[in-house]
Amino acid sequence: MTKALILDSRIAASILRLFFHDCFVNGCDASILLDDTATFTGEKNAAPNGRSVRGFEVVDTIKSLVEASCSGVVSCADILALAARDGVVLQGGQSWTVPLGRRDARTASQSAANSQLPAPSSNLSTLISVFSAKGFTAAEMTVLSGAHTIGQAGCENFRNRIYNQTNIDPAFAITRRANCPSNTGSGDRNLAPLDVQTPTRFENTYFQNLVDQRGLLNSDQVLFNDGSQDAVVQTYSQNNARFLADFAAAMVKMGNLSPAPGTVTEIRRNCRMTN
């Protein structure tokens, strides 16, 4: 991960997102890493993933090195969990102990990815509901959203917010419009930092931005919009140590999301395909 970050400052955020999108669909089983086959359509090209998930090559590199040392012992799911943790730490976050022993899925589900992952346009009630379905409280949902203190988003995901919403700092909206045309289809892939102040530092400026109405995505700003999570956001905006500690605890909980009982799993030798 250290070498990967030297080559690509976005990779910690990308691996963290990859881990989240894996765990929220049938548990942390590396199903998101599987390529499509003749027998199933995988998760890579689901709507929440197809044009945005990245970092597969980094996982492949780690896996090849691990396999050369101890073949068939360490799962792709465990590698992804560890890489996500290490990326956060390398960008200033707090470390946590990653429980190990995950196994890898032998199939994947595009339909589950489409239905179970929250969208950038989600409102607060939807976010609370989606995370509740996975066993998380509203406060845990809010602290996990703090992952957006690193990384970037494409124009297509925040266009409506910067042109049509009123709960946004005017100067911030004008700045973002410079790289995101108003007409659909133009500049859709143009990127903007989720945290404009410190996009490669894992700390609480994300929450400070929300207080200042500078959340980039609708799903960010709804956390601080005269709703149930305002006090949580205020707390994290003022207490970086509390945010980092609570985020680490929530990540352990997320990493414990498991496939349904009876699911057939294995330890894949290639993260892109079953053995």
Side-chain angles (χ1 to χ4, degrees):
M1 284 300 293
T2 300
K3 292 179 179 178
L5 266 172
I6 292 171
L7 298 173
D8 179 1
S9 63
R10 295 173 55 202
I11 201 63
S14 297
I15 294 293
L16 181 57
R17 186 166 184 265
L18 200 56
F19 178 62
F20 163 58
H21 280 220
D22 178 46
C23 291
F24 253 54
V25 180
N26 301 323
C28 307
D29 60 358
S31 58
I32 196 172
L33 304 179
L34 286 169
D35 290 337
D36 293 353
T37 73
T39 58
F40 68 82
T41 303
E43 298 163 26
K44 287 184 175 180
N45 293 309
N49 297 332
R51 295 176 62 172
S52 60
V53 290
R54 58 194 298 274
F56 298 107
E57 295 80 6
V58 173
V59 177
D60 291 340
T61 298
I62 298 171
K63 179 62 172 175
S64 65
L65 293 169
V66 171
E67 283 295 301
S69 177
C70 50
S71 180
V73 174
V74 183
S75 68
C76 299
D78 273 354
I79 287 173
L80 186 54
L82 290 163
R85 188 272 313 273
D86 290 354
V88 168
V89 172
L90 287 167
Q91 296 206 301
Q94 177 175 311
S95 186
W96 61 90
T97 299
V98 177
L100 302 174
R102 297 169 189 80
R103 291 174 62 83
D104 301 323
R106 289 185 49 81
T107 187
S109 174
Q110 186 175 104
S111 61
N114 282 328
S115 64
Q116 295 178 23
L117 290 165
S121 59
S122 297
N123 59 30
L124 182 58
S125 62
T126 296
L127 291 173
I128 291 173
S129 176
V130 168
F131 277 78
S132 176
K134 302 297 180 181
F136 292 95
T137 66
E140 288 171 331
M141 176 273 295
T142 297
V143 75
L144 286 169
S145 296
H148 284 182
T149 189
I150 56 175
Q152 302 187 50
C155 166
E156 61 186 337
N157 294 313
F158 59 84
R159 176 181 285 116
N160 181 64
R161 171 150 170 75
I162 63 174
Y163 284 101
N164 300 320
Q165 296 186 358
T166 57
N167 60 338
I168 187 169
D169 174 70
F172 175 72
I174 290 171
T175 299
R176 291 279 66 87
R177 289 172 187 171
N179 192 43
C180 183
S182 60
N183 49 312
T184 301
S186 178
D188 281 1
R189 305 296 294 276
N190 292 352
L191 297 173
L194 291 158
D195 172 1
V196 70
Q197 294 167 275
T198 53
T200 59
R201 289 294 297 171
F202 202 94
E203 25 70 316
N204 66 335
T205 50
Y206 166 81
F207 295 101
Q208 295 169 7
N209 290 334
L210 298 187
V211 173
D212 294 334
Q213 295 192 317
R214 294 180 180 178
L216 184 64
L217 305 176
N218 184 73
S219 58
D220 293 322
Q221 195 59 57
V222 295
L223 301 178
F224 190 82
N225 194 42
D226 295 327
S228 65
Q229 297 307 292
D230 283 15
V232 180
V233 170
Q234 284 278 15
T235 295
Y236 292 140
S237 73
Q238 298 165 6
N239 191 331
N240 185 53
R242 173 77 178 275
F243 161 56
L244 296 180
D246 288 357
F247 182 84
M251 284 297 290
V252 172
K253 184 173 178 176
M254 179 181 292
N256 287 334
L257 294 176
S258 301
T263 302
V264 178
T265 58
E266 64 184 9
I267 295 178
R268 301 200 296 263
R269 288 178 168 78
N270 181 329
C271 292
R272 294 176 180 262
M273 63 186 69
T274 59
N275 293 339

